[in-house]
Amino acid sequence: MGSRSSHAARIPDVDSIRRETGFSQASLIRLYHRFQALDRNEKGYLSRVDLQQIGALAVNPLGDRIIDSFFPDGSLRVDFPGFVRVLAHFRPVDDEDNGNRDPKEPEPLNSRMNKLRFAFQLYDLDRDGKISRHEMLQVLRLMVGVQVTEEQLESITDRTVQEADEDGDGAVSFLEFTKSLEKMNIEQKMSIRILK
Amino acid sequence: MGFQLRVPFRPWNWLLLLVALKCSRASSDLNESTNSSAQHDLNVRFAAASFEPAETISVFSLDYDYVQIPYEVTLWILLASLAKIGFHLHPRLPGLVPESCLLIAVGALVGAIIFGTDHKSPPVMDSSIYFLYLLPPIVLEGGYFMPTRPFFENVGSILWWSGLGALISAFGVGLSLHLVCRVPAFGLGDVTLLQSLLFGSLVSAVDPVAVLAVLEEARVNEPLYMMIFGEALLNDGISVVLYNILIAFTKMHKFEDIEPVDILAGCARFVVVGVGGVFFGVVFGFISAFITRFTENISAIEPLIVFMFSYLSYLVAETLYLSGILAITACAVTMKKYVEENVSQKSYTTIKYFMKMLSSVSETLIFIFMGVSTVGKNHEWNWAFVCFTLAFCQIWRAISVFALFYVSNQFRTFPFSIKDQCIIFYSGVRGAGSFSLAFLLPLSLFPRKKMFVTATLVVIYFTVFIQGITIGPLVRYLDVRKTNKKESINEELHTRLMDHLKAGIEDVCGQWSHYQVRDKFKKFDHKYLRKILIRKNLPKSSIVSLYKKLEVKQAIEMAETGVLSSAGFSVPRPAQRIQETKRLSPEDVKSMRDILTHNMYQVRQRTLSYNKYNLKPQTSEKQAKEILIRRQNTLRASVRKGHSLPWGKPAGTKNIRYLSFPYSDPQPAGRDARVADCTGNSDSDSEFPSSPFYTPPRTGWLQERRGTQEIIPMKSLPRGGKPPSFGSQRKTSRDEHVGGGGRAALRPKPLCHMVHEERDSGEDSEEGASAGGSRWSAEHRPSRGHHRSHSPLLRRK
């Protein structure tokens, strides 16, 4: 469609983004529209406030952390490629992708590993590669209603870390995290259909 | 709690039932006794001279005939309501059995009573009463509660499916039955083709909404939900149109008179009737939306306007022989969006509840009448006809489902799986509509009307009871959910986290429409329609006060339970606990898992929860409130600790209050009722799925802010050394508490208002939140500029 290509032309670096994230042209255009819709003052980037305006995120227990995940390394702005990069983690896994993949290229963003890594960073706030007990407790607190007492939370945290921790360092490393979720269908759980 | 109620449940329900039985029995007894003197009764009340010489004025007398009809109708409705209460007392029954089963059972019961006592049932249902009074509320309710966004996203599929599906079913069943009737062995020779077709059309009128409550348990996906809903919505209209056309044909007595011209005319009429109805509905919808723009000062008549205009659209369409049902549906859909923004919160609630009530009453009456007809002498049982009807209904529905979806799947981005199609097929439950149409067949044209009625009843009973009850298990079976009971705590926690994460990212992505038409419509809508139809200066004060009340109450509760006062909310533990490798017993683990399962927050459901017979209380409200309060607390605590704000200015520079708590926040309590309702309505460019009130100010007033500074989310800057946490305020007076709560509540609303505050309005004031509120608004007004919808504080209701 004529209008489509003109839309695509407006997106900066559209080809490199496509290669990196694997989104189709149509999806990228839609994401770009969304990006622009979120970008209140047409600044060209998104700040935290823009994302906080999404009503449903405010009542999401992990809302703050999800927003933070868009701003890696403490930056204050996220531009369109960054925005898309985060969303690319949730692209449904295409079996053909894996077949044709060139093993030398980096893993696609929506591979199982990368999805897990994304989820892992929601826990691991200090980015030390490990979920400490304290971090686990914080996440648990966020996700549980107020009627659970602190002792219960702590014992649940202990148990959680204990279950996953194999090398006994009291924290859950990424590999241990992966291992504890090996039975789970991550590809399906962390994929959003419309992001094809 | 449910189980504790179960023990008294049965006695209670039986008790209620007995009471009701006694009432109806009493009424029928009275009727018998007064039957003999019926001819006297008419004038006894008003005649100056009575027939019997009255020597004394009777101190106490009965006049049953005067009140018979309203009395019995009221009793029926009450009985059905009592049964519903009993039904819902049971913890799991509503999820297993569709509520229409209950209504039919009650109807059959009343019918049995009436039949048993040889009582002449009041003539509640005839054609005009049904079409003028009983049907519109049902349709209105369906149209009003329909989630518009998913509907319009799937509108092509829905129209294709419901329109063609109804036609295919109707003609298929009709023609097949006609072929069956040709067989002389069944003794059905006098059923003409037209009669068969008509019967086919009325028996294909499905009412799958009845099973939606059951489907909810299985969490069907949104498009599927929408298909079922949309089908129910449009099906009534299409069946009635077809019915009327075929009746018109039947009235042309001689079959030979019908020429192809007539058939073409019939088809054209079908289209005209449908489109015309929708047109009128839309026009009336806009008119009523426009009028609600001006009803600020007499909000009590807002529900009246909504209902009257919808009803008017129905009547006008019926006058012109257009489809009133489609008109009223279109009216409801059109006006809903604008009316919801215009009317006050109380009117909004009133409208919703009143609509539910009206439709509930209508449906109850129809089902009871159906029950009354069931138990009676006016049946004609013909094995062949009934069995074939049943068989053909199922067969043709299956054919239409699979064929039509096969075609429409080629055009859909997200095709429906076979599983989905099976669910759609199986949800073809008939309801009150079919029965009414059968009952209202004119006897003159349909000498074998009783047979038709019987067959319809059989189909209804079969589908409602057997299909209705088994669809739940079927869906669960098809769903093949991995019930991995042995999930470790890890897995549960992480699963839930991922669900939340996914929901959050979905929200970030927003709703995508696949049609440019829709985008264009949205632009048009924003530019023109909203300006005309939506009030300026939306006074949302009642919501604000509601929110404040709720938040304050919640805050008090939380403070009392010690949650908020635990300052350790976001404080890292000072020392790392040494990891004790306790061996936990399996029971401990299990109890932990239970705690987790029961207490973790639910993931926001994107699929709407629609229940035809009930407006469910929003359980997510509480959860949302907790989350929001916790967030506020965290933010405040982190500021208090002097953390550098991740978003800009360090704390404590000036005493400027930036009133822009996550903009998304406003009135979640009051709004949450609408959140859950409106999640279906969230648009891609309204960042505010939770608020129908929010009108994104586009480039408007934000520009006037641009000159100032970047929009910085609010951090409530503590004044002096007073810690702003709720916990400390607990020690202070209640007023201050209210004030603090009020301040917290006030905070969320307007985005990025910079209000120079020389003093806190909330913390010190002795007045309550209301005063603080009015002060806020006074400060707001000058800085507000021309944008609207942000200062709900302007008016107190």
Side-chain angles (χ1 to χ4, degrees):
Chain A
M1 240 188 281
S3 54
R4 283 271 183 87
S5 53
S6 65
H7 283 187
R10 280 198 271 145
I11 307 173
D13 307 322
V14 65
D15 289 320
S16 65
I17 298 177
R18 273 185 74 188
R19 243 178 296 124
E20 193 188 342
T21 59
F23 278 122
S24 65
Q25 179 104 323
S27 296
L28 271 182
I29 293 175
R30 282 195 211 112
L31 282 172
Y32 191 62
H33 284 313
R34 176 66 176 172
F35 181 80
Q36 286 179 317
L38 286 173
D39 179 6
R40 296 271 140 212
N41 298 357
E42 293 169 16
K43 312 182 284 289
Y45 58 86
L46 292 179
S47 65
R48 274 209 169 77
V49 180
D50 293 322
L51 287 176
Q52 279 166 353
Q53 290 163 10
I54 304 175
L57 270 188
V59 292
N60 190 317
L62 299 169
D64 284 328
R65 297 204 178 200
I66 296 177
I67 294 178
D68 285 339
S69 66
F70 278 90
F71 300 90
D73 318 318
S75 56
L76 292 180
R77 315 173 164 196
V78 58
D79 55 2
F80 182 65
F83 181 71
V84 174
R85 216 170 281 133
V86 169
L87 295 180
H89 286 99
F90 290 87
R91 199 161 68 83
V93 174
D94 229 351
D95 288 321
E96 297 125 32
D97 272 351
N98 295 339
N100 299 340
R101 211 162 60 77
D102 185 358
K104 286 199 287 281
E105 276 178 25
E107 248 177 85
L109 280 174
N110 65 338
S111 70
R112 185 190 167 93
M113 267 302 160
N114 280 323
K115 286 187 203 275
L116 281 171
R117 220 165 265 146
F118 189 78
F120 188 77
Q121 71 172 12
L122 279 186
Y123 287 93
D124 184 16
L125 290 180
D126 54 9
R127 309 292 159 126
D128 61 355
K130 291 207 268 228
I131 308 175
S132 68
R133 187 185 162 279
H134 170 64
E135 286 168 341
M136 188 71 85
L137 182 61
Q138 278 183 311
V139 171
L140 202 61
R141 239 191 235 128
L142 278 181
M143 298 212 332
V144 161
V146 296
Q147 58 272 29
V148 180
T149 65
E150 192 67 20
E151 297 85 46
Q152 285 171 324
L153 278 178
E154 296 209 2
S155 50
I156 295 178
T157 315
D158 286 332
R159 174 70 189 175
T160 314
V161 174
Q162 193 184 61
E163 267 180 8
D165 191 12
E166 288 173 357
D167 52 9
D169 58 353
V172 180
S173 72
F174 178 62
L175 287 170
E176 290 163 354
F177 180 73
T178 326
K179 192 126 182 288
S180 70
L181 292 175
E182 60 189 355
K183 274 187 275 164
M184 210 155 67
N185 187 354
I186 304 287
E187 289 87 341
Q188 197 237 349
K189 264 225 170 278
M190 279 188 57
S191 294
I192 298 180
R193 223 158 58 137
I194 56 176
L195 283 180
K196 258 214 250 268
Chain B
M1 184 194 87
F3 280 96
Q4 281 145 7
L5 274 181
R6 251 174 98 186
V7 172
F9 153 67
R10 297 244 175 70
W12 264 117
N13 199 27
W14 289 126
L15 189 62
L16 294 171
L17 218 50
L18 277 172
V19 167
L21 269 170
K22 277 220 136 50
C23 292
S24 13
R25 186 158 268 270
S27 71
S28 59
D29 283 339
L30 283 171
N31 203 36
E32 282 183 48
S33 65
T34 55
N35 245 344
S36 50
S37 55
Q39 51 270 46
H40 299 289
D41 287 352
L42 277 172
N43 290 323
V44 144
R45 249 185 192 240
F46 305 109
S50 67
F51 287 90
E52 297 110 22
E55 269 127 27
T56 57
I57 296 180
S58 64
V59 177
F60 177 72
S61 53
L62 277 171
D63 182 2
Y64 184 66
D65 274 346
Y66 182 61
V67 297
Q68 183 191 2
I69 292 180
Y71 185 72
E72 296 205 350
V73 169
T74 312
L75 272 183
W76 290 355
I77 297 175
L78 265 181
L79 180 63
S81 312
L82 293 173
K84 280 193 206 180
I85 294 177
F87 182 71
H88 280 283
L89 280 178
H90 192 287
R92 272 179 39 236
L93 206 53
L96 296 172
V97 174
E99 210 158 314
S100 39
C101 287
L102 178 77
L103 288 177
I104 295 181
V106 168
L109 183 68
V110 172
I113 294 173
I114 291 184
F115 183 68
T117 59
D118 222 6
H119 175 81
K120 186 177 175 310
S121 65
V124 176
M125 192 144 98
D126 66 2
S127 178
S128 59
I129 292 186
Y130 173 69
F131 278 110
L132 286 180
Y133 301 116
L134 292 180
L135 183 59
I138 298 178
V139 186
L140 178 63
E141 187 247 352
Y144 195 81
F145 285 97
M146 185 189 69
T148 39
R149 182 198 52 85
F151 179 75
F152 284 111
E153 271 185 13
N154 293 302
V155 72
S157 305
I158 291 178
L159 281 177
W160 171 258
W161 156 236
S162 51
L164 275 184
L167 285 173
I168 291 182
S169 265
F171 282 102
V173 171
L175 288 172
S176 323
L177 277 178
H178 182 66
L179 288 175
V180 165
C181 293
R182 288 296 121 232
V183 176
F186 298 135
L188 296 165
D190 55 343
V191 177
T192 66
L193 173 65
L194 272 174
Q195 291 179 352
S196 306
L197 284 178
L198 191 66
F199 181 68
S201 77
L202 69 88
V203 91
S204 313
V206 290
D207 186 23
V209 173
V211 298
L212 274 181
V214 172
L215 286 180
E216 249 180 71
E217 288 288 309
R219 272 190 273 154
V220 294
N221 59 39
E222 196 178 69
L224 181 61
Y225 195 93
M226 212 44 244
M227 291 305 285
I228 296 180
F229 208 126
E231 185 197 358
L233 204 62
L234 299 177
N235 206 286
D236 273 340
I238 294 174
S239 302
V240 170
V241 169
L242 205 54
Y243 179 86
N244 283 325
I245 292 180
L246 287 170
I247 287 245
F249 270 132
T250 317
K251 284 193 178 131
M252 300 163 63
H253 288 287
K254 295 210 199 80
F255 182 65
E256 303 82 52
D257 280 352
I258 298 179
E259 296 165 14
V261 180
D262 291 321
I263 298 188
L264 276 177
C267 295
R269 198 184 151 77
F270 186 77
V271 171
V272 164
V273 163
V275 172
V278 170
F279 171 72
F280 271 98
V282 169
V283 165
F284 274 95
F286 280 131
I287 294 179
S288 77
F290 183 66
I291 292 189
T292 54
R293 184 178 164 188
F294 302 107
T295 56
E296 276 178 59
N297 299 317
I298 21 165
S299 54
I301 68 167
E302 279 162 354
L304 194 67
I305 290 183
V306 167
F307 285 110
M308 289 299 116
F309 268 105
S310 320
Y311 194 46
L312 201 62
S313 71
Y314 181 81
L315 294 174
V316 167
E318 286 288 321
T319 315
L320 301 171
Y321 285 106
L322 302 172
S323 166
I325 296 180
L326 290 176
I328 203 173
T329 308
C331 183
V333 168
T334 316
M335 91 182 154
K336 175 177 180 189
K337 201 159 64 130
Y338 307 106
V339 158
E340 277 190 353
E341 297 202 23
N342 278 339
V343 300
S344 68
Q345 173 80 348
K346 292 200 178 92
S347 301
Y348 174 71
T349 312
T350 309
I351 293 175
K352 274 199 314 186
Y353 274 92
F354 200 64
M355 220 175 259
K356 281 282 180 196
M357 188 186 87
L358 280 180
S359 89
S360 193
V361 165
S362 277
E363 191 139 18
T364 306
L365 283 177
I366 296 178
F367 275 127
I368 289 197
F369 218 75
M370 193 169 91
V372 167
S373 310
T374 316
V375 186
K377 297 196 201 88
N378 47 357
H379 281 288
E380 186 192 326
W381 184 270
N382 181 309
W383 275 105
F385 193 74
V386 168
C387 295
F388 275 108
T389 306
L390 204 53
F392 285 136
C393 281
Q394 304 292 4
I395 294 174
W396 280 100
R397 185 169 172 88
I399 293 177
S400 61
V401 165
F402 291 112
L404 289 176
F405 276 99
Y406 178 73
V407 173
S408 81
N409 271 347
Q410 315 295 332
F411 299 100
R412 282 182 64 88
T413 329
F414 304 117
F416 285 109
S417 64
I418 296 289
K419 209 174 67 181
D420 291 338
Q421 293 174 29
C422 284
I423 296 178
I424 293 183
F425 157 65
Y426 208 67
S427 70
V429 168
R430 269 71 178 169
S434 321
F435 169 70
S436 323
L437 290 176
F439 192 76
L440 300 173
L441 287 171
L443 198 57
S444 53
L445 296 169
F446 290 85
R448 300 200 75 165
K449 171 179 165 176
K450 288 190 189 167
M451 186 177 71
F452 289 144
V453 173
T454 309
T456 312
L457 281 172
V458 167
V459 171
I460 294 180
Y461 273 84
F462 179 83
T463 54
V464 170
F465 281 96
I466 297 189
Q467 276 183 234
I469 294 181
T470 54
I471 194 172
L474 177 75
V475 174
R476 276 185 277 274
Y477 169 72
L478 284 178
D479 220 2
V480 192
R481 243 188 274 162
K482 265 190 284 190
T483 47
N484 189 3
K485 286 288 178 190
K486 296 265 172 43
E487 259 183 25
S488 66
I489 292 187
N490 253 296
E491 281 180 347
E492 241 189 89
L493 182 64
H494 299 319
T495 317
R496 189 58 66 93
L497 179 123
M498 287 184 191
D499 286 336
H500 281 299
L501 176 59
K502 181 171 166 179
I505 298 281
E506 276 176 347
D507 291 324
V508 172
C509 289
Q511 309 292 346
W512 284 358
S513 62
H514 295 287
Y515 307 109
Q516 300 221 323
V517 175
R518 188 172 167 268
D519 290 332
K520 288 206 185 82
F521 174 73
K522 291 201 74 56
K523 287 204 182 76
F524 172 71
D525 182 40
H526 272 294
K527 261 183 90 174
Y528 301 110
L529 290 179
R530 294 180 79 94
K531 292 216 175 82
I532 304 174
L533 298 174
I534 306 224
R535 277 184 210 172
K536 303 199 196 319
N537 309 329
L538 289 177
K540 293 294 165 273
S541 49
S542 52
I543 305 167
V544 173
S545 52
L546 172 69
Y547 171 64
K548 280 208 302 282
K549 260 188 273 174
L550 287 171
E551 221 215 28
V552 166
K553 182 161 161 291
Q554 180 89 354
I556 296 174
E557 279 172 24
M558 286 174 85
E560 280 171 0
T561 59
V563 171
L564 283 174
S565 63
S566 65
F569 234 127
S570 55
V571 174
R573 292 184 74 76
Q576 285 280 19
R577 243 175 58 165
I578 302 171
Q579 180 77 22
E580 304 163 14
T581 51
K582 275 197 315 186
R583 285 285 128 206
L584 293 163
S585 62
E587 290 87 36
D588 284 343
V589 177
K590 186 175 178 309
S591 73
M592 268 188 212
R593 200 174 323 151
D594 286 338
I595 295 176
L596 252 192
T597 327
H598 291 129
N599 288 309
M600 281 206 286
Y601 285 131
Q602 300 294 326
V603 181
R604 186 181 63 82
Q605 292 286 8
R606 282 173 85 84
T607 328
L608 307 131
S609 159
Y610 173 77
N611 189 323
K612 189 171 190 186
Y613 301 100
N614 200 5
L615 281 168
K616 282 210 189 127
Q618 305 301 340
T619 49
S620 58
E621 241 185 80
K622 181 164 166 284
Q623 171 181 320
K625 265 184 279 177
E626 277 179 20
I627 296 174
L628 286 162
I629 292 182
R630 180 180 283 160
R631 280 186 80 187
Q632 284 183 22
N633 212 46
T634 322
L635 287 169
R636 215 177 294 121
S638 68
V639 169
R640 177 161 52 97
K641 299 187 63 56
H643 290 171
S644 69
L645 303 174
W647 308 317
K649 304 201 169 178
T653 38
K654 271 192 286 190
N655 218 359
I656 298 181
R657 180 151 302 145
Y658 294 95
L659 295 174
S660 67
F661 188 83
Y663 183 44
S664 50
D665 194 341
Q667 308 105 21
R671 287 274 177 71
D672 269 357
R674 302 205 199 194
V675 167
D677 291 345
C678 296
T679 38
N681 287 335
S682 47
D683 314 313
S684 59
D685 49 34
S686 153
E687 281 334 308
F688 216 129
S690 56
S691 167
F693 308 101
Y694 166 57
T695 53
R698 294 286 114 187
T699 53
W701 58 271
L702 272 180
Q703 271 169 352
E704 61 191 76
R705 295 273 162 250
R706 200 176 280 181
T708 52
Q709 49 252 13
E710 204 191 37
I711 297 162
I712 298 179
M714 179 278 309
K715 292 287 182 246
S716 130
L717 303 172
R719 184 166 172 278
K722 197 165 178 188
S725 69
F726 277 116
S728 63
Q729 281 185 348
R730 181 168 48 140
K731 305 186 202 88
T732 58
S733 70
R734 179 134 207 295
D735 272 347
E736 283 200 36
H737 201 154
V738 166
R743 182 166 55 83
L746 295 177
R747 227 190 291 132
K749 261 158 320 307
L751 173 67
C752 316
H753 278 268
M754 219 172 57
V755 180
H756 287 265
E757 277 291 293
E758 299 313 314
R759 57 206 156 94
D760 292 310
S761 78
E763 279 187 345
D764 293 77
S765 66
E766 292 308 308
E767 316 121 88
S770 50
S774 46
R775 214 169 324 136
W776 280 118
S777 62
E779 277 141 357
H780 281 177
R781 228 175 268 130
S783 57
R784 252 186 61 220
H786 66 82
H787 83 283
R788 43 199 176 164
S789 93
H790 290 307
S791 290
L793 311 168
L794 282 183
R795 274 187 46 215
R796 312 245 110 223
K797 273 271 170 65

